[in-house]
Amino acid sequence: MSGLVSRTVLTFQHNAKLYSLPTSVLAVTPFPSLAEADRQLFKSAPDDDSLVVVVTKETIFHPQGGGQPSDTGSMSSSSSGNIFSVHAVRMSATDEGRVLHLGRFRSADSTSTTKPAPSFALDEPVTQNLDVDKRVLYSRLHTAGHVLGAAVRHLLESQVPGFDELKASHFPDSAACEFAGLIEGKWKDEIQAKVDEYVAAAMPVEVDFWTDEDFRANGLERLIPNGEGVKLAPGEKYRVVKIVGAEVYPCGGTHVDTTEQCGKVGVRKISRSKGTSRVSYNVS
Protein backbone atom coordinates (compact mmCIF):
# COMPACT_ATOMS: atom_id res chain seq x y z
CA MET A 1 0.00 0.00 0.00
CA SER A 2 2.84 2.42 0.80
CA GLY A 3 3.33 4.99 -1.94
CA LEU A 4 0.17 3.96 -3.83
CA VAL A 5 -1.97 6.81 -2.57
CA SER A 6 -1.48 10.55 -2.41
CA ARG A 7 -1.74 12.79 0.63
CA THR A 8 -5.28 13.41 1.80
CA VAL A 9 -6.46 17.01 1.41
CA LEU A 10 -7.37 18.22 4.92
CA THR A 11 -10.47 20.18 4.03
CA PHE A 12 -11.42 20.66 7.69
CA GLN A 13 -8.33 22.83 8.18
CA HIS A 14 -9.81 25.44 5.86
CA ASN A 15 -13.49 25.15 6.81
CA ALA A 16 -14.31 23.56 10.17
CA LYS A 17 -18.02 24.17 9.62
CA LEU A 18 -18.21 22.03 6.50
CA TYR A 19 -20.15 19.04 7.82
CA SER A 20 -20.77 17.25 4.50
CA LEU A 21 -18.34 16.77 1.62
CA PRO A 22 -18.43 14.97 -1.76
CA THR A 23 -15.12 13.25 -2.45
CA SER A 24 -13.78 10.03 -4.02
CA VAL A 25 -12.27 6.80 -2.74
CA LEU A 26 -8.52 6.19 -3.06
CA ALA A 27 -8.17 2.95 -1.09
CA VAL A 28 -10.20 0.36 0.84
CA THR A 29 -8.20 -1.99 3.08
CA PRO A 30 -9.33 -4.64 5.58
CA PHE A 31 -8.03 -3.61 9.01
CA PRO A 32 -6.03 -6.84 9.55
CA SER A 33 -4.17 -6.16 6.27
CA LEU A 34 -2.85 -2.78 7.39
CA ALA A 35 0.82 -2.34 8.19
CA GLU A 36 1.50 -3.05 11.85
CA ALA A 37 2.42 0.58 12.55
CA ASP A 38 -0.96 1.72 11.21
CA ARG A 39 -2.89 -0.95 13.13
CA GLN A 40 -1.21 0.26 16.32
CA LEU A 41 -2.73 3.70 15.79
CA PHE A 42 -6.13 2.18 16.62
CA LYS A 43 -5.19 0.63 19.96
CA SER A 44 -8.67 -0.49 21.00
CA ALA A 45 -9.71 -1.91 17.61
CA PRO A 46 -10.16 -5.71 17.46
CA ASP A 47 -8.37 -7.72 14.75
CA ASP A 48 -11.69 -8.09 12.95
CA ASP A 49 -12.21 -8.73 9.21
CA SER A 50 -15.38 -6.62 9.31
CA LEU A 51 -13.31 -3.56 10.19
CA VAL A 52 -12.11 -1.62 7.16
CA VAL A 53 -9.99 1.46 6.54
CA VAL A 54 -11.09 3.84 3.79
CA VAL A 55 -8.84 6.52 2.32
CA THR A 56 -10.40 9.39 0.36
CA LYS A 57 -9.05 12.21 -1.78
CA GLU A 58 -10.24 14.85 0.70
CA THR A 59 -11.60 14.64 4.22
CA ILE A 60 -13.64 16.72 6.65
CA PHE A 61 -12.86 14.20 9.42
CA HIS A 62 -10.31 15.50 11.94
CA PRO A 63 -7.87 12.68 12.82
CA GLN A 64 -7.12 12.24 16.52
CA GLY A 65 -4.08 14.34 17.36
CA GLY A 66 -2.96 17.66 18.75
CA GLY A 67 -4.96 16.90 21.88
CA GLN A 68 -8.25 16.65 19.94
CA PRO A 69 -10.33 13.44 19.54
CA SER A 70 -11.12 12.19 16.06
CA ASP A 71 -14.42 12.97 14.41
CA THR A 72 -16.97 10.25 13.72
CA GLY A 73 -19.73 10.02 11.14
CA SER A 74 -20.32 8.22 7.85
CA MET A 75 -19.58 7.99 4.14
CA SER A 76 -22.21 6.98 1.62
CA SER A 77 -22.40 6.20 -2.08
CA SER A 78 -25.44 7.12 -4.12
CA SER A 79 -24.39 4.72 -6.90
CA SER A 80 -23.95 1.52 -4.85
CA GLY A 81 -26.13 2.51 -1.90
CA ASN A 82 -23.43 1.36 0.50
CA ILE A 83 -22.78 3.21 3.74
CA PHE A 84 -19.56 3.24 5.74
CA SER A 85 -19.77 4.15 9.42
CA VAL A 86 -16.62 6.02 10.51
CA HIS A 87 -15.65 5.05 14.07
CA ALA A 88 -12.15 6.54 14.36
CA VAL A 89 -9.70 8.54 12.24
CA ARG A 90 -5.88 8.72 12.34
CA MET A 91 -3.00 10.06 10.26
CA SER A 92 -1.11 7.15 8.73
CA ALA A 93 2.18 6.18 10.32
CA THR A 94 3.47 4.63 7.09
CA ASP A 95 2.22 6.93 4.30
CA GLU A 96 2.90 10.56 5.11
CA GLY A 97 -0.16 12.76 4.84
CA ARG A 98 -2.65 9.93 4.33
CA VAL A 99 -5.77 9.93 6.54
CA LEU A 100 -7.16 6.56 7.64
CA HIS A 101 -10.90 6.29 8.33
CA LEU A 102 -11.66 3.14 10.35
CA GLY A 103 -15.15 1.67 10.44
CA ARG A 104 -17.61 -0.85 9.05
CA PHE A 105 -19.75 -1.07 5.94
CA ARG A 106 -23.46 -1.59 5.89
CA SER A 107 -25.62 -1.99 2.81
CA ALA A 108 -28.71 0.06 2.08
CA ASP A 109 -30.38 -3.29 1.37
CA SER A 110 -29.71 -5.07 4.67
CA THR A 111 -32.18 -7.91 3.83
CA SER A 112 -30.26 -9.25 0.84
CA THR A 113 -28.30 -12.48 1.32
CA THR A 114 -27.09 -12.83 -2.27
CA LYS A 115 -25.22 -9.57 -2.81
CA PRO A 116 -21.47 -9.46 -2.11
CA ALA A 117 -20.26 -7.78 1.05
CA PRO A 118 -20.70 -4.01 0.73
CA SER A 119 -17.66 -1.93 -0.11
CA PHE A 120 -16.55 1.03 -2.19
CA ALA A 121 -14.80 0.78 -5.55
CA LEU A 122 -11.63 2.77 -6.24
CA ASP A 123 -12.48 6.28 -7.49
CA GLU A 124 -16.12 5.79 -6.44
CA PRO A 125 -17.79 9.11 -5.54
CA VAL A 126 -18.89 9.19 -1.90
CA THR A 127 -20.27 11.80 0.46
CA GLN A 128 -18.79 12.28 3.91
CA ASN A 129 -21.06 13.35 6.77
CA LEU A 130 -19.88 14.30 10.25
CA ASP A 131 -21.45 13.73 13.65
CA VAL A 132 -22.07 17.47 13.99
CA ASP A 133 -22.73 17.51 17.74
CA LYS A 134 -19.32 15.94 18.41
CA ARG A 135 -17.52 18.29 16.00
CA VAL A 136 -19.07 21.35 17.67
CA LEU A 137 -18.19 20.08 21.15
CA TYR A 138 -14.60 19.28 20.17
CA SER A 139 -14.25 22.71 18.52
CA ARG A 140 -15.54 24.46 21.65
CA LEU A 141 -13.18 22.47 23.86
CA HIS A 142 -10.17 23.12 21.63
CA THR A 143 -10.78 26.86 21.45
CA ALA A 144 -11.43 26.95 25.20
CA GLY A 145 -8.04 25.32 25.76
CA HIS A 146 -6.35 28.12 23.83
CA VAL A 147 -8.36 30.71 25.76
CA LEU A 148 -7.22 29.13 29.03
CA GLY A 149 -3.61 29.01 27.85
CA ALA A 150 -3.73 32.67 26.85
CA ALA A 151 -5.29 33.67 30.18
CA VAL A 152 -2.65 31.81 32.20
CA ARG A 153 0.19 33.23 30.11
CA HIS A 154 -1.04 36.82 30.40
CA LEU A 155 -1.50 36.49 34.16
CA LEU A 156 1.50 34.42 35.17
CA GLU A 157 4.27 34.59 32.57
CA SER A 158 6.14 37.11 34.74
CA GLN A 159 4.97 35.63 38.05
CA VAL A 160 6.00 31.97 37.74
CA PRO A 161 9.72 31.15 37.37
CA GLY A 162 10.44 29.10 34.25
CA PHE A 163 6.91 29.58 32.90
CA ASP A 164 6.02 28.18 29.49
CA GLU A 165 3.06 26.48 27.82
CA LEU A 166 3.78 22.81 27.22
CA LYS A 167 0.85 20.78 25.85
CA ALA A 168 -2.89 20.35 26.16
CA SER A 169 -5.65 17.75 25.99
CA HIS A 170 -9.04 18.80 24.67
CA PHE A 171 -10.89 15.52 25.32
CA PRO A 172 -14.31 16.02 26.95
CA ASP A 173 -13.52 14.10 30.15
CA SER A 174 -9.88 15.13 30.57
CA ALA A 175 -9.45 18.62 29.14
CA ALA A 176 -6.39 20.34 30.60
CA CYS A 177 -3.45 22.58 29.75
CA GLU A 178 0.05 21.89 31.09
CA PHE A 179 2.64 24.53 31.92
CA ALA A 180 6.29 24.61 32.94
CA GLY A 181 6.61 26.13 36.41
CA LEU A 182 4.62 25.75 39.60
CA ILE A 183 1.25 27.51 39.60
CA GLU A 184 -0.18 27.78 43.08
CA GLY A 185 -3.83 27.07 43.78
CA LYS A 186 -4.36 30.66 44.90
CA TRP A 187 -4.37 31.68 41.22
CA LYS A 188 -7.47 29.65 40.34
CA ASP A 189 -10.01 32.47 40.85
CA GLU A 190 -7.90 34.99 38.91
CA ILE A 191 -7.43 32.53 36.04
CA GLN A 192 -11.18 31.93 35.97
CA ALA A 193 -11.85 35.68 35.90
CA LYS A 194 -9.43 36.18 33.02
CA VAL A 195 -10.97 33.28 31.09
CA ASP A 196 -14.44 34.73 31.67
CA GLU A 197 -13.20 38.10 30.40
CA TYR A 198 -11.84 36.59 27.19
CA VAL A 199 -14.98 34.54 26.55
CA ALA A 200 -17.31 37.49 27.16
CA ALA A 201 -15.24 39.67 24.81
CA ALA A 202 -16.25 37.43 21.87
CA MET A 203 -12.73 37.63 20.48
CA PRO A 204 -12.56 36.51 16.84
CA VAL A 205 -10.84 33.18 16.21
CA GLU A 206 -8.99 33.31 12.89
CA VAL A 207 -7.04 30.71 10.93
CA ASP A 208 -3.95 31.68 8.95
CA PHE A 209 -0.95 29.95 7.35
CA TRP A 210 2.55 31.17 8.25
CA THR A 211 6.16 30.59 7.27
CA ASP A 212 9.06 30.79 9.75
CA GLU A 213 9.50 34.38 8.63
CA ASP A 214 5.89 35.22 9.55
CA PHE A 215 6.50 33.98 13.10
CA ARG A 216 9.61 36.14 13.35
CA ALA A 217 7.88 39.19 11.87
CA ASN A 218 5.24 38.93 14.59
CA GLY A 219 7.81 38.51 17.36
CA LEU A 220 6.75 34.92 17.95
CA GLU A 221 9.93 32.98 17.21
CA ARG A 222 9.23 30.84 20.28
CA LEU A 223 6.22 29.35 18.49
CA ILE A 224 8.02 28.10 15.36
CA PRO A 225 7.33 24.34 15.30
CA ASN A 226 10.56 22.43 15.84
CA GLY A 227 9.66 19.74 13.33
CA GLU A 228 8.69 17.04 15.84
CA GLY A 229 5.33 15.70 14.71
CA VAL A 230 5.02 18.47 12.09
CA LYS A 231 5.34 17.18 8.53
CA LEU A 232 4.60 19.73 5.84
CA ALA A 233 4.29 18.92 2.17
CA PRO A 234 6.57 20.88 -0.16
CA GLY A 235 5.30 24.46 -0.38
CA GLU A 236 2.97 24.15 2.60
CA LYS A 237 2.92 26.62 5.50
CA TYR A 238 2.25 26.14 9.19
CA ARG A 239 -1.37 26.51 10.17
CA VAL A 240 -1.90 28.99 13.01
CA VAL A 241 -4.97 29.88 15.04
CA LYS A 242 -5.23 33.45 16.28
CA ILE A 243 -7.33 34.42 19.29
CA VAL A 244 -7.45 38.06 18.20
CA GLY A 245 -6.47 40.25 21.13
CA ALA A 246 -4.89 37.40 23.10
CA GLU A 247 -2.55 34.78 21.59
CA VAL A 248 -1.48 32.90 18.47
CA TYR A 249 -1.04 29.11 18.43
CA PRO A 250 0.37 26.75 15.78
CA CYS A 251 -2.58 24.36 15.55
CA GLY A 252 -4.19 21.89 13.17
CA GLY A 253 -7.44 21.52 15.13
CA THR A 254 -10.98 22.75 14.65
CA HIS A 255 -12.36 25.84 16.36
CA VAL A 256 -15.41 28.00 16.87
CA ASP A 257 -15.58 31.47 15.31
CA THR A 258 -15.42 33.56 18.50
CA THR A 259 -14.42 32.92 22.10
CA GLU A 260 -18.02 33.54 23.17
CA GLN A 261 -19.05 30.39 21.29
CA CYS A 262 -17.00 28.30 23.72
CA GLY A 263 -19.84 28.73 26.20
CA LYS A 264 -19.06 28.69 29.91
CA VAL A 265 -15.45 27.64 30.44
CA GLY A 266 -14.88 26.37 33.97
CA VAL A 267 -11.42 26.20 35.55
CA ARG A 268 -11.69 22.97 37.53
CA LYS A 269 -8.40 22.29 39.28
CA ILE A 270 -4.71 23.19 39.42
CA SER A 271 -2.31 20.33 40.15
CA ARG A 272 1.49 20.35 40.33
CA SER A 273 4.13 17.67 39.83
CA LYS A 274 7.88 17.62 39.11
CA GLY A 275 8.11 21.28 38.13
CA THR A 276 5.02 21.39 35.94
CA SER A 277 1.44 22.48 36.52
CA ARG A 278 -1.77 21.12 35.05
CA VAL A 279 -4.90 23.30 34.85
CA SER A 280 -7.99 21.28 34.02
CA TYR A 281 -11.16 22.77 32.54
CA ASN A 282 -14.55 22.00 31.06
CA VAL A 283 -17.17 23.68 28.90
CA SER A 284 -20.92 23.87 29.41
Side-chain angles (χ1 to χ4, degrees), residues 31 60 84 114 158 210 256 268 281:
F31 179 67
I60 51 174
F84 180 69
T114 58
S158 62
W210 284 8
V256 292
R268 298 177 57 212
Y281 71 96

Side-chain angles (χ1 to χ4, degrees), residues 85-268:
S85 296
V86 178
H87 302 157
V89 187
R90 302 288 189 273
M91 295 297 299
S92 173
T94 60
D95 288 279
E96 186 176 315
R98 182 174 66 167
V99 175
L100 310 178
H101 307 82
L102 177 73
R104 287 185 170 90
F105 279 101
R106 66 183 191 271
S107 174
D109 181 9
S110 59
T111 63
S112 174
T113 59
T114 58
K115 287 186 177 181
S119 185
F120 294 142
L122 297 186
D123 298 320
E124 184 171 355
V126 295
T127 300
Q128 297 180 340
N129 289 288
L130 290 181
D131 181 326
V132 177
D133 289 342
K134 282 186 179 179
R135 161 58 67 82
V136 172
L137 174 60
Y138 298 161
S139 298
R140 291 173 59 213
L141 280 162
H142 203 146
T143 305
H146 289 336
V147 170
L148 174 61
V152 173
R153 175 175 288 279
H154 283 215
L155 280 172
L156 302 180
E157 185 173 20
S158 62
Q159 302 291 326
V160 173
F163 177 87
D164 199 4
E165 295 179 67
L166 298 178
K167 60 182 180 179
S169 168
H170 311 295
F171 282 65
D173 298 325
S174 58
C177 298
E178 294 187 19
F179 304 89
L182 298 179
I183 301 174
E184 297 181 41
K186 68 180 183 180
W187 289 104
K188 181 174 180 290
D189 289 345
E190 290 191 54
I191 294 171
Q192 182 68 71
K194 194 68 172 176
V195 168
D196 291 344
E197 175 190 329
Y198 284 170
V199 170
M203 294 173 166
V205 180
E206 299 178 353
V207 171
D208 204 350
F209 294 86
W210 284 8
T211 63
D212 288 5
E213 290 70 29
D214 292 321
F215 285 99
R216 296 188 183 97
N218 285 275
L220 295 171
E221 293 92 338
R222 63 180 173 82
L223 296 179
I224 296 174
N226 61 14
E228 183 177 345
V230 179
K231 297 179 180 179
L232 298 180
E236 278 190 339
K237 298 179 180 181
Y238 298 109
R239 184 177 187 265
V240 298
V241 173
K242 299 185 283 187
I243 311 294
V244 179
E247 287 291 328
V248 174
Y249 292 93
C251 181
T254 65
H255 294 274
V256 292
D257 291 335
T258 71
T259 56
E260 185 180 39
Q261 292 175 4
C262 293
K264 173 63 178 176
V265 181
V267 179
R268 298 177 57 212

